Amino acid sequence: MFTKIDHFKLHHKDEHHDSALDVAQGVEDAPTVSPYFRKVRKKELSVDDFVTGITGRDITILSQAITLIESQNPVHYGKAQEIIERCLPYAGKSVRIGITGVPGAGKSTFIEAVGGRVENMGHRLAVLAIDPSSQRSGGSILGDKTRMESISANPNIFIRPSPSAGSLGGVARKTRETIVLCEAAGFDVIFIETVGVGQSETAVHSMVDMFMMLQISGAGDELQGIKRGIMEMADLVVITKADGANKHKADLAKAQIRNALMLFPLPESGRRPNVVTCSSVEGTGLDEIWSDIEDYVAFTRSNGYFDRNRRRQNKYWMYETIDQALRENFFRNPAVESSLGIYEKEVDENKTSPFTAARELLENYFKGK
Amino acid sequence: MFTKIDHFKLHHKDEHHDSALDVAQGVEDAPTVSPYFRKVRKKELSVDDFVTGITGRDITILSQAITLIESQNPVHYGKAQEIIERCLPYAGKSVRIGITGVPGAGKSTFIEAVGGRVENMGHRLAVLAIDPSSQRSGGSILGDKTRMESISANPNIFIRPSPSAGSLGGVARKTRETIVLCEAAGFDVIFIETVGVGQSETAVHSMVDMFMMLQISGAGDELQGIKRGIMEMADLVVITKADGANKHKADLAKAQIRNALMLFPLPESGRRPNVVTCSSVEGTGLDEIWSDIEDYVAFTRSNGYFDRNRRRQNKYWMYETIDQALRENFFRNPAVESSLGIYEKEVDENKTSPFTAARELLENYFKGK
């Protein structure tokens, strides 16, 4: 509801004046960067170096380029934009899959289990994340990569934590741009994970071809996804932890959710979402999930929805990028920066109206242009 | 999801170059304006005239000021801003109540029945609306005022249809500004009605003290509000049409919704929403609804939530107003206007990336500044 108040954070944010090769604060290195390797590569890479490295599938260089995307320093960001544009002809060929689920739904274990299988089939997998809460919680959902031990050392699997700073809009855009680089680096399956809170699911939904909702059974919240308006976005519902004593409850939840989904109109994709159970521990149901993903992609490719959805998402991202750039330009304007706090306080204390405060701030901004 | 694509409409919108006294296209006159009265008042009113008229409770002048707010002409809009600022010291003293419900829930009849009662108690009631779909459907939900016959001629009740042009954000801001003028004109109860589709409910929720959801029973959609994520916002759920053969079904729905609401955490207001049944035709339950509103206001005033919520809404509207002004300035820029359609087409046809299109549009925009 009040996401707009996040802009204020933007204005307060520290700028990182690290060099292009530094890893941005709070963002971990990619798994394949050895400390030795980083030490010798001291000269700043050119845009050409980056593009050659990324398309040549150099994971270290890919990681560094993503760090530029995430940097708060406008110079870095400008360079990142050049790299993205140069990578675009090589991008777009992956299947982008969004994965959501409340904390406790077993996302990491699931991704680890499915990810290993996907790689075994000869795919190259990138796992990205959107978690605007990571700043507050002091680390992203994927920050603790030890949770994905079995796949994090695999050279065909690239795991990148959520950008740790910024508003949801900013974090989402950076992830959307990171997809381009990962695709140019030859990753043909992209998982975009989000924690099941707030509007981050909508952000993920706006950049994926298929949206998957993980759900646990037996916690009394089988219809939680419905209540939060998330289940309507799901192209596949997965009930996790369907093992041992839980198996029966998982089957009940499956029937319950399937019934609930029948209440919704047929999605625009033309395909009613399946509900499946799986166990990441026992390894059951995982192959079926990957088959369902392949079915979905084949179905939506053949009826034109896949392409139509991507085109619509592209337009959305054009407008979203413009919006954000306009806001950043505004909130970084010196006249605005120096007075925003005062205006906000006056509005908070009812001394000025929101409209007057906005008008005066805007006048100062446009006067300085 | 793709509301940002609405910006494009903004750019296409016709500008109305009517004089300050003309009634904007698609917006009806206030009920008390007699044609004779309008004919003699030919000179353009000054800001002083407007403020004096509004605070003097002149409904004709109030209507004309709202028309200025709704005008697409920047000169009118600038004048409207002055009027709003001058009216602010007289505003803020009403109770603002949002009313939502899917088409068929009986909103008009409900508002008519409750509105009459509220006026009988000595209150002055303004009924506003947010319906961004009104442009498409060729008329606002309140446009057909004959539906509220019994109250539309009452001088203590002011009914204003939804602004008929613009994106949801624009429509919402205009309604938010209209609240100020209505309050300055002595209306101490404001109803803001919205049709139960899309994000207009979130917009209404961001400007009211209390949010009420109307619900019908027996249509099999008792939990519709939950599915759409609306029920979480409700401070009161009203089951309408609880009369005749429907009464039993309404009582069942009441129990069902009450149980569903227990699953949600206690709202920030500190008060769990009540579920009540009523019949606008038989007149039952209506007094209880007004008591519940009074209870809610008293409760949230005493625990500080009422004031805290308004302060937060004010900050939200400051940022929202800034956002919109930045976007309008951008999309009305001649360089942007002349090329936006081309860029959108190229992005749609995959010839340009959304990021490149955004960057080039932004460059052209900022170059011209």
Side-chain angles (χ1 to χ4, degrees), chain B residues 18-324:
Chain B
D18 34 24
S19 94
L21 282 182
D22 281 350
V23 172
Q25 210 187 345
V27 176
E28 294 187 28
D29 299 31
T32 49
V33 182
S34 84
Y36 176 71
F37 195 60
R38 287 188 62 216
K39 216 162 244 163
V40 293
R41 198 200 291 265
K42 269 292 179 201
K43 78 166 177 72
E44 198 168 308
L45 295 180
S46 69
V47 169
D48 269 347
D49 295 338
F50 272 112
V51 175
T52 310
I54 291 167
T55 55
R57 306 191 171 185
D58 181 327
I59 300 303
T60 310
I61 290 180
L62 171 64
S63 293
Q64 287 166 355
I66 297 172
T67 301
L68 289 188
I69 290 179
E70 292 171 353
S71 170
Q72 302 294 324
N73 181 330
V75 175
H76 296 170
Y77 185 68
K79 193 169 181 181
Q81 290 307 303
E82 266 190 82
I83 298 167
I84 292 166
E85 283 177 30
R86 295 272 305 277
C87 281
L88 272 163
Y90 309 99
K93 290 180 194 78
S94 79
V95 173
R96 305 164 185 166
I97 299 161
I99 302 177
T100 187
V102 290
K107 282 192 297 296
S108 296
T109 328
F110 175 82
I111 289 171
E112 196 171 1
V114 174
R117 273 176 160 71
V118 169
E119 195 268 342
N120 269 339
M121 287 175 212
H123 294 286
R124 298 184 73 232
L125 170 70
V127 182
L128 311 177
I130 293 184
D131 177 13
S133 68
S134 63
Q135 199 175 15
R136 264 170 291 143
S137 62
S140 95
I141 37 172
L142 287 175
D144 182 11
K145 271 184 298 192
T146 52
R147 284 156 61 212
M148 295 199 196
E149 249 175 298
S150 74
I151 60 170
S152 64
N154 188 319
N156 290 320
I157 299 183
F158 175 71
I159 301 178
R160 180 78 182 191
S162 178
S164 65
S167 63
L168 170 59
V171 167
R173 192 199 58 219
K174 288 166 186 175
T175 303
R176 177 64 185 77
E177 291 172 346
T178 299
I179 291 174
V180 172
L181 301 194
C182 289
E183 289 176 343
F187 291 99
D188 64 340
V189 177
I190 319 266
F191 283 174
I192 299 140
E193 176 186 351
T194 185
V195 68
V197 288
Q199 301 189 297
S200 59
E201 279 143 328
T202 310
V204 170
H205 189 253
S206 69
M207 61 179 79
V208 297
D209 304 313
M210 183 178 187
F211 193 69
M212 198 188 293
M213 193 180 103
L214 303 197
Q215 178 87 35
I216 32 168
S217 60
D221 64 349
E222 279 74 8
L223 298 179
Q224 184 72 35
I226 292 191
K227 275 188 278 174
R228 294 184 302 119
I230 302 302
M231 212 172 277
E232 288 176 75
M233 301 197 290
D235 301 305
L236 171 63
V237 178
V238 174
I239 298 156
T240 56
K241 305 186 181 177
D243 39 40
N246 247 329
K247 215 181 159 323
H248 180 62
K249 277 191 285 188
D251 285 334
L252 284 180
K254 179 177 163 174
Q256 195 176 2
I257 291 167
R258 190 171 274 171
N259 286 340
L261 284 173
M262 297 300 287
L263 299 170
F264 293 116
L266 192 68
E268 209 193 320
S269 68
R271 181 180 177 275
R272 201 165 281 286
N274 280 325
V275 185
V276 299
T277 60
C278 80
S279 163
S280 304
V281 181
E282 295 183 354
T284 50
L286 300 170
D287 292 334
E288 288 79 358
I289 288 166
W290 185 248
S291 302
D292 193 79
I293 292 171
E294 288 183 320
D295 278 359
Y296 177 86
V297 171
F299 183 84
T300 54
R301 275 217 167 105
S302 74
N303 75 4
Y305 176 76
F306 189 94
D307 187 49
R308 200 163 64 243
N309 185 43
R310 280 215 174 168
R311 289 213 310 271
R312 185 171 53 179
Q313 289 179 341
N314 279 342
K315 276 190 278 184
Y316 170 81
W317 283 101
M318 181 179 103
Y319 285 105
E320 188 63 24
T321 306
I322 290 170
D323 269 14
Q324 290 216 20

Side-chain angles (χ1 to χ4, degrees), chain A residues 1 4 8 85 88 205 226-227 232 311 314 316 319 323 325 327 344 348 353-354 356 359 362, chain B residues 1 4 8 85 88 205 226-227 232 311 314 316 319 323 325 327 344 348 353-354 356 359 362:
Chain A
M1 269 244 36
K4 292 296 154 50
F8 190 48
E85 283 177 31
L88 272 164
H205 190 253
I226 293 192
K227 274 187 277 173
E232 288 175 75
R311 288 212 310 271
N314 278 342
Y316 171 81
Y319 284 105
D323 269 15
R327 284 201 290 251
E344 211 187 49
D348 186 64
S353 90
T356 307
R359 185 181 52 72
L362 286 159
Chain B
M1 271 242 36
K4 292 297 154 51
F8 189 50
E85 283 177 30
L88 272 163
H205 189 253
I226 292 191
K227 275 188 278 174
E232 288 176 75
R311 289 213 310 271
N314 279 342
Y316 170 81
Y319 285 105
D323 269 14
R327 284 202 288 253
E344 211 187 50
D348 186 63
S353 90
T356 307
R359 183 181 53 73
L362 286 159

Side-chain angles (χ1 to χ4, degrees), chain A residues 59 137 148 164 240 275 331 347 365 369:
Chain A
I59 301 304
S137 63
M148 294 198 196
S164 65
T240 56
V275 186
F331 289 106
V347 167
Y365 171 69
K369 288 272 129 192

